[in-house]
């Protein structure tokens, strides 16, 4: 039992599962070890909003699973930074700079998320993010592109997404 998600992450051992109880959490979580972090009863009941303009979930470890949250604010809702084999699923991400961002992160799965009304892109793969699967997401009303691949050209699979009403492009492949 921890009052903050970050405290649970800090006290967890690699491979642990953290189940977050229903409620509203105002914090930015840094995940630097392999963990599963999931809500107890789904995204309608578990809201995490940025305390400061940073990623709400900033993942720098491999094998991290994040699922079942409503995520709001920050420069990015979920940021994978040099992370591999992560699974990001069933989250509602809105009101961030960008919704879900992968930076030089490969072999990840981003699926079943609702990503909308972010100030830049919905889902973005940047700087050699390769061998990722982006599927089954609803991506709408983002101020720039729905899904953007930037310098990420090797074996990414983008399929079965519902991409609509984004201000620029639905799916943009830029130098990818």
């Amino acid at each position: 039992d921890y009052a903050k998600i970050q405290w649970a992450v800090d006290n967890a051992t690699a491979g642990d599962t953290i189940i977050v109880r229903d409620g509203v959490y105002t914090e930015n979580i840094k995940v630097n070890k392999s963990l599963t972090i999931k809500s107890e009863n789904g995204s309608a009941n578990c809201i995490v909003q940025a305390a400061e303009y940073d990623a709400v979930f900033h993942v720098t470890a491999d094998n991290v699973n994040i699922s079942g949250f409503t995520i709001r604010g920050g420069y990015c809702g979920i940021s994978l930074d040099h992370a591999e084999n992560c699974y990001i699923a069933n989250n509602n991400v809105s009101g961030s700079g960008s919704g879900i961002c992968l930076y030089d992160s490969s072999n990840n799965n981003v699926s079943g998320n609702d990503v909308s009304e972010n100030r830049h892109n919905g889902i973005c793969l940047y700087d050699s993010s390769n061998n990722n699967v982006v599927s089954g997401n609803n991506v709408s009303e983002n101020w720039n592109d729905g899904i953007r691949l930037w310098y990420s050209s090797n074996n990414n699979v983008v399929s079965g997404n519902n991409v609509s009403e984004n201000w620029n492009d639905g799916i943009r492949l830029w130098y990818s």
Side-chain angles (χ1 to χ4, degrees), residues 95-137:
S96 298
S98 289
I100 300 171
C101 296
L102 282 65
Y103 298 97
D104 194 13
S105 295
S106 299
N107 304 306
N108 300 292
N109 188 313
V110 177
S111 58
N113 299 285
D114 290 319
V115 184
S116 64
E117 299 179 8
N118 294 289
R119 291 181 301 281
H120 297 291
N121 303 302
I123 298 172
C124 33
L125 282 65
Y126 290 123
D127 299 327
S128 299
S129 291
N130 300 307
N131 301 307
N132 295 292
V133 175
V134 177
S135 66
N137 299 287

Side-chain angles (χ1 to χ4, degrees), residues 19 30-31 33 36 44-46 56 60 90 93-94 96-97 114 117 121 148 150-151 154 156-157 166 171 174:
I19 298 174
K30 297 190 183 328
V31 183
K33 59 186 94 165
T36 294
N45 301 304
C46 196
V56 178
T60 58
N90 304 317
V93 186
S94 64
S96 298
D114 290 319
E117 299 179 8
N121 303 302
R148 174 184 281 189
W150 176 287
Y151 292 100
N154 294 324
N156 288 302
V157 175
N166 295 285
I171 299 173
W174 204 330

Side-chain angles (χ1 to χ4, degrees), residues 29 51 72 75 89 99 114 117 122 136 139 153 165 169:
I29 300 116
R72 298 183 182 139
Y75 82 79
D114 290 319
E117 299 179 8
V139 186
S153 59
E165 299 181 36
D169 296 316

